[in-house]
């Protein structure tokens, strides 16, 4: 690709970013909804959501050649997540974390295809913004359960309350990291099987 | 499609909002519907907002949406406001829960549909350019707005075709199901994205020059009225 050598974002890069952001968000929304129905999935969410979205992200990283694409994607995902009724913390984390992920990725890989370690580190940092979704659950606990009680059935709420002692917050951060790591592995496996010729 | 009609001057709609007005109203309605409770002011705000969305949809003659938003939200608000005292037990709790979700999301979905079907992407981009948002943000943002409905459609079409082949949880390993569901979606989206990129580039989106647009932008009477109603609802909710 000719524009891979220049150091500026092209219009095509911007469109690619938009397309993959839409894809990432739809996958996030479709699989994230499962947790609204079943409390145990709500708790496993930090693990399986980055795992599934990893497939999309790995394919996206094969098209990233410049700083900026991952940042824009992160900020747009953060905005969309907030607009659809989640905590604003996600957007704040997105603004902080995605430039870091972006910078690391482009510094480590340059024009060459990214090594698996680079992708893992990038995606783990990128995914940690999702922890913002559960911040109200732990840090504004009473207000959160009060609000939920008006929206959800009582046994749904009490089982969620029982499954999330405060130390679960740290566990969830780790779960996102593990989920993201496995997501990259899964993404690369699926990628090799189906998309390999796109990679060049 | 509605997107094409919006470009022609001949059947100019009754109410034509500037994309900047739509965006602001969308934010206000979102905040009110997602966070307002049941006290008097909040209820007033939610009723006003629902009426506003209904009126906008009616101006576009989208009658089935008018019915869904007006009747659905109205009924849900009534159930929400009075249902808790009158009924108990798991079934009624489930009904109250559904009513709550419907009351919160129907106006937003209705307004979202209105905005998405009346705003052309070119008007949206022209409006963002007016308030000096750089192309770096405008282009991905416009692409996301354009692609999300498409990707969601593709996704549900794939889900349907999996159902018709009898593939559901338990009939195949979860990893395979995930693959069947995601890989076609990714392929389709990437293809559509490439077409979109080609179309955009051929219209000179990558040219570094002042762009012109045929969309009529500006703050007109209908913008003023709609914005006034939305702001009034917000003020009512905050003050009362």
């Amino acid at each position: 690709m000719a524009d891979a050598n220049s150091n500026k974002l092209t219009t095509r890069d911007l469109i690619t970013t938009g397309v993959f952001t839409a894809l990432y968000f739809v996958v996030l929304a479709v699989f994230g909804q499962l947790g609204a129905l079943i409390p145990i999935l709500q708790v496993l969410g930090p693990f399986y959501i980055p795992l599934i979205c990893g497939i999309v992200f790995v394919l996206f990283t094969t098209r990233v050649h410049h700083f900026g694409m991952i940042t824009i994607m992160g900020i747009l995902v953060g905005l969309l997540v907030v607009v659809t009724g989640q905590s604003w913390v996600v957007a704040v984390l997105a603004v902080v974390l995605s430039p870091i992920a972006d910078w690391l990725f482009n510094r480590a890989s340059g024009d060459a295809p990214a090594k698996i370690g680079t992708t893992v580190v990038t995606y783990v940092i990128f995914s940690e913004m999702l922890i913002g979704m559960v911040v109200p659950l732990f840090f504004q606990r009473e207000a959160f359960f009060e609000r939920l009680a008006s929206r959800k059935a009582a046994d749904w709420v009490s089982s969620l309350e029982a499954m999330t002692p405060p130390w679960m917050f740290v566990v969830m951060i780790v779960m996102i990291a593990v989920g993201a790591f496995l997501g990259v592995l899964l993404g690369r496996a699926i990628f090799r099987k189906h998309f390999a010729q796109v990679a060049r | 499609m509605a997107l094409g009609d919006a470009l022609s001057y001949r059947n100019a709609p009754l109410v034509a909002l500037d994309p900047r007005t739509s965006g602001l109203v969308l934010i206000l309605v979102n905040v009110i519907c997602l966070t307002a409770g049941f006290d008097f002011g909040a209820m007033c705000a939610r009723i006003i907002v629902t009426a506003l969305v209904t009126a906008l949809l009616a101006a576009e003659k989208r009658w089935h949406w008018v019915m869904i938003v007006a009747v659905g939200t109205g009924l849900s608000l009534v159930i929400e406001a009075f249902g808790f005292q009158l009924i108990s037990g798991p079934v009624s709790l489930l009904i109250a829960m559904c009513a709550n979700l419907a009351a919160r999301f129907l106006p937003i979905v209705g307004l979202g549909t209105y905005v998405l079907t009346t705003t052309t992407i070119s008007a949206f981009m022209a409006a963002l350019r007016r308030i000096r948002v750089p192309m770096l943000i405008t282009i991905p943002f416009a692409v996301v707005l354009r692609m999300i409905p498409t990707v969601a459609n593709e996704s549900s079409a794939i889900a349907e075709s999996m159902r018709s082949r009898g593939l559901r949880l338990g009939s195949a390993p979860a990893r395979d199901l995930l693959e069947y569901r995601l890989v076609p979606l990714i392929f389709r989206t990437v293809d559509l994205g490439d077409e979109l990129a080609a179309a955009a580039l051929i219209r000179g989106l990558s040219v570094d020059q002042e762009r012109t647009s045929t969309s009529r932008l500006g703050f007109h009477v209908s913008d003023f009225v709609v914005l006034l109603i939305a702001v009034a609802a917000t003020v009512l909710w905050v003050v009362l």
Side-chain angles (χ1 to χ4, degrees):
Chain A
M1 262 208 294
D3 44 292
N5 298 321
S6 84
N7 214 9
K8 225 180 111 221
L9 283 174
T10 62
T11 304
R12 217 197 157 81
D13 288 337
L14 296 176
I15 294 172
T16 306
T17 309
V19 168
F20 276 93
T21 305
L23 187 57
Y24 181 94
F25 180 71
V26 169
V27 173
L28 184 73
V30 167
F31 289 92
Q33 269 169 4
L34 295 175
L37 303 173
I38 314 162
I40 184 75
L41 279 184
Q42 184 91 353
V43 178
L44 286 179
F47 173 71
Y48 82 84
I49 290 174
L51 174 71
I52 294 170
C53 290
I55 301 169
V56 176
F57 195 84
V58 166
L59 186 59
F60 177 57
T61 55
T62 63
R63 302 193 163 204
V64 171
H65 303 290
H66 313 296
F67 178 83
M69 295 174 78
I70 297 175
T71 308
I72 294 171
M73 184 191 201
I75 292 171
L76 283 178
V77 168
L79 275 180
L80 288 169
V81 166
V82 172
V83 166
T84 49
Q86 300 280 351
S87 169
W88 50 269
V89 182
V90 183
V92 175
L93 285 177
V95 171
V96 177
L97 291 177
S98 45
I100 300 175
D102 202 353
W103 183 78
L104 278 174
F105 183 82
N106 284 292
R107 201 188 141 79
S109 69
D111 282 347
K115 295 201 173 59
I116 183 162
T118 312
T119 315
V120 167
V121 172
T122 306
Y123 185 54
V124 166
I125 295 174
F126 184 86
S127 298
E128 287 295 346
M129 74 167 154
L130 298 176
I131 199 71
M133 286 188 188
V134 297
V135 162
L137 172 65
F138 292 99
F139 294 99
Q140 301 147 15
R141 204 171 170 80
E142 268 162 36
F144 178 80
F145 279 111
E146 222 164 76
R147 199 164 71 99
L148 259 193
S150 73
R151 287 183 18 179
K152 307 262 186 186
D155 42 345
W156 192 99
V157 172
S158 58
S159 63
L160 180 64
E161 203 166 2
M163 273 189 289
T164 54
W167 49 262
M168 265 307 277
F169 187 68
V170 182
V171 176
M172 281 186 173
I173 292 179
V174 178
M175 278 163 80
I176 288 183
V178 175
F181 171 65
L182 293 176
V184 170
L185 293 187
L186 179 66
R188 284 180 77 101
I190 287 186
F191 181 77
R192 255 198 297 277
K193 184 170 161 193
H194 295 282
F195 301 102
Q197 71 269 46
V198 188
R200 264 178 287 149
Chain B
M1 230 188 93
L3 287 181
D5 294 342
L7 267 183
S8 100
Y9 288 117
R10 262 168 303 167
N11 28 9
L14 202 59
V15 182
L17 296 184
D18 188 287
R20 289 165 285 183
T21 314
S22 312
L24 205 56
V25 171
L26 200 53
I27 293 171
L28 289 178
V29 171
N30 240 308
V31 171
I32 290 175
C33 288
L34 288 177
T35 55
F38 313 105
D39 54 86
F40 182 68
M43 273 316 217
C44 284
R46 289 167 76 174
I47 290 167
I48 294 173
V49 157
T50 309
L52 175 66
V53 174
T54 312
L56 284 175
L57 289 165
E60 279 298 304
K61 302 193 178 65
R62 304 191 53 113
W63 301 118
H64 58 288
W65 270 105
V66 170
M67 290 299 287
I68 293 172
V69 172
V71 178
T73 318
L75 211 62
S76 305
L77 281 176
V78 170
I79 294 176
E80 243 197 316
F82 305 110
F84 271 124
Q85 291 99 332
L86 298 179
I87 46 181
S88 60
V91 176
S92 52
L93 207 61
L94 196 71
I95 294 171
M97 187 179 122
C98 292
N100 189 304
L101 279 180
R104 283 186 194 285
F105 282 99
L106 280 181
I108 298 177
V109 175
L111 185 61
T113 310
Y114 171 81
V115 172
L116 279 181
T117 50
T118 54
T119 314
T120 60
I121 294 293
S122 69
F124 172 77
M125 292 187 65
L128 283 187
R129 199 162 51 242
R130 282 279 182 90
I131 51 173
R132 308 204 186 288
V133 177
M135 292 297 254
L136 202 67
I137 296 164
T138 312
I139 294 175
F141 201 16
V143 173
V144 168
L145 289 187
R146 158 75 176 69
M147 290 299 286
I148 282 183
T150 315
V151 181
N153 269 344
E154 296 293 335
S155 173
S156 60
I158 292 166
E160 207 168 282
S161 91
M162 277 178 66
R163 257 198 306 282
S164 74
R165 286 169 172 75
L167 287 166
R168 58 176 69 85
L169 270 179
S171 64
R175 187 194 173 285
D176 287 355
L177 286 178
L178 191 64
E179 197 176 329
Y180 300 157
R181 185 72 200 273
L182 279 185
V183 170
L185 182 66
I186 294 173
F187 261 117
R188 277 295 289 160
T189 311
V190 168
D191 276 359
L192 290 169
D194 284 343
E195 277 170 29
L196 186 70
L201 292 177
I202 230 163
R203 293 185 206 166
L205 196 67
S206 56
V207 178
D208 248 353
Q209 210 176 50
E210 183 79 10
R211 297 179 65 77
T212 56
S213 168
T214 56
S215 353
R216 284 176 301 176
L217 296 174
F219 200 72
H220 300 297
V221 181
S222 53
D223 293 277
F224 181 73
V225 174
V226 170
L227 205 56
L228 190 70
I229 297 174
V231 171
T234 316
V235 171
L236 258 181
W237 168 48
V238 175
V239 174
L240 283 182

